[in-house]
Amino acid sequence: MKKNKAVVWFSCGASSAVAGKLAVDIYGDEVDLVYCDTGGEHESNKQFLLDCQEWYGKEIIILKNEKYEDHFDVVRKTRFVNGPHGARCTTELKQKMREKAQYCESINIYGYTIEETERAKKFEDRNMDLLFDWILIKHKITKPDCLGIIWQQGIKLPIMYELGYDHNNCIGCVKGGKGYWNRIRKDFPDHFNRMAKIEREIGATCLKEVNGDKIYLDKLDP
């Protein structure tokens, strides 16, 4: 794999898509666009990725951890959901793939918007060995700006945005809260039931404990 001066970690989200376009405009041929396919995202992401490729005039490289089918598979096989350092599925399906791609000397570009300035600072503090260009923050671009830019291009957003979700994560993201999971129960009942079953199998839950008691999805107040 070619290792360019900069790399955009494209996620099929509106913000990373706009970050990708800015990066191509600024870095030209010296930027790679890379997507970590988790296997758990909505099918509409595939068309969005192709539309963005056409917009950029540049191919998006796709990485996939072949050990796991999707985030459900990670949770079941590792018997781990969330911890102080984040979700295991994020580590296996994204972080390890980024490390394997060995862009350690490239400038890393993520789709963090101006509202996420503090989040970007914390991420940078945890990864002091990496170089970053917070391209959207630098240009004072907001989340609504990103949605508007995509709309102006005539690119159809992934279904998760149309359904009203703030982010285009895996369907049934283990980092979601009670409200999120109740929406998933309504919009994607098969995904909800699949995660609820896995929780019981491994004895761990997506939702935070209350007074030491685990909140299993199959007992979540609708």
Side-chain angles (χ1 to χ4, degrees):
M1 185 186 297
K2 181 182 174 185
K3 307 298 188 299
N4 247 325
K5 177 180 179 180
V7 55
V8 177
W9 296 107
F10 180 87
S11 68
C12 275
S15 298
S16 73
V18 174
K21 176 58 176 169
L22 273 175
V24 169
D25 290 346
I26 293 168
Y27 291 95
D29 290 336
E30 294 187 314
V31 64
D32 286 343
L33 300 120
V34 183
Y35 170 60
C36 295
D37 180 7
T38 67
E41 297 172 354
H42 196 277
E43 280 291 310
S44 59
N45 282 14
K46 294 177 181 178
Q47 186 58 53
F48 183 71
L49 184 147
L50 293 174
D51 291 342
C52 286
Q53 276 190 158
E54 187 174 346
W55 183 27
Y56 303 152
K58 191 174 180 71
E59 179 188 3
I60 297 172
I61 300 164
I62 299 176
L63 306 178
K64 179 81 170 73
N65 189 336
E66 298 301 333
K67 283 177 62 178
Y68 304 102
E69 179 184 345
D70 52 26
H71 59 304
F72 295 107
D73 199 26
V74 174
V75 174
R76 179 182 284 112
K77 286 179 177 176
T78 64
R79 305 185 70 82
F80 188 90
V81 183
N82 259 323
H85 301 293
R88 183 64 179 269
C89 45
T90 299
T91 300
E92 297 293 337
L93 303 177
K94 291 187 176 183
Q95 184 179 328
K96 286 189 177 180
M97 299 312 297
R98 290 170 185 155
E99 292 171 356
K100 189 176 180 181
Q102 296 182 346
Y103 278 96
C104 49
E105 295 182 4
S106 300
I107 299 167
N108 290 266
I109 300 171
Y110 290 86
Y112 286 26
T113 57
I114 189 70
E115 301 97 328
E116 300 173 293
T117 301
E118 188 60 31
R119 181 188 174 203
K121 184 179 183 306
K122 289 179 180 178
F123 189 88
E124 192 164 348
D125 288 344
R126 293 195 305 269
N127 297 276
M128 297 182 69
D129 56 328
L130 299 179
L131 299 171
F132 295 94
D133 180 357
W134 303 107
I135 205 163
L136 298 180
I137 295 173
K138 193 162 60 180
H139 287 81
K140 296 182 170 56
I141 294 176
T142 66
K143 285 182 181 291
D145 289 337
C146 292
L147 293 171
I149 291 167
I150 299 293
W151 175 77
Q152 286 177 328
Q153 292 300 315
I155 295 175
K156 184 176 175 62
L157 285 165
I159 293 297
M160 299 303 282
Y161 287 111
E162 292 189 12
L163 291 174
Y165 292 89
D166 292 332
H167 299 281
N168 187 28
N169 297 334
C170 294
I171 303 173
C173 177
V174 300
K175 293 177 280 190
K178 293 180 182 179
Y180 167 83
W181 275 105
N182 269 326
R183 292 195 62 187
I184 292 295
R185 174 172 13 210
K186 177 176 175 289
D187 295 332
F188 302 97
D190 290 346
H191 291 72
F192 180 91
N193 292 332
R194 186 177 175 191
M195 186 62 79
K197 182 179 178 182
I198 293 172
E199 282 188 339
R200 290 295 184 178
E201 285 178 11
I202 68 174
T205 61
C206 298
L207 301 174
K208 293 180 180 178
E209 297 182 8
V210 177
N211 299 323
D213 295 327
K214 294 178 181 178
I215 304 175
Y216 284 95
L217 291 176
D218 59 14
K219 294 296 184 182
L220 175 63
D221 184 350

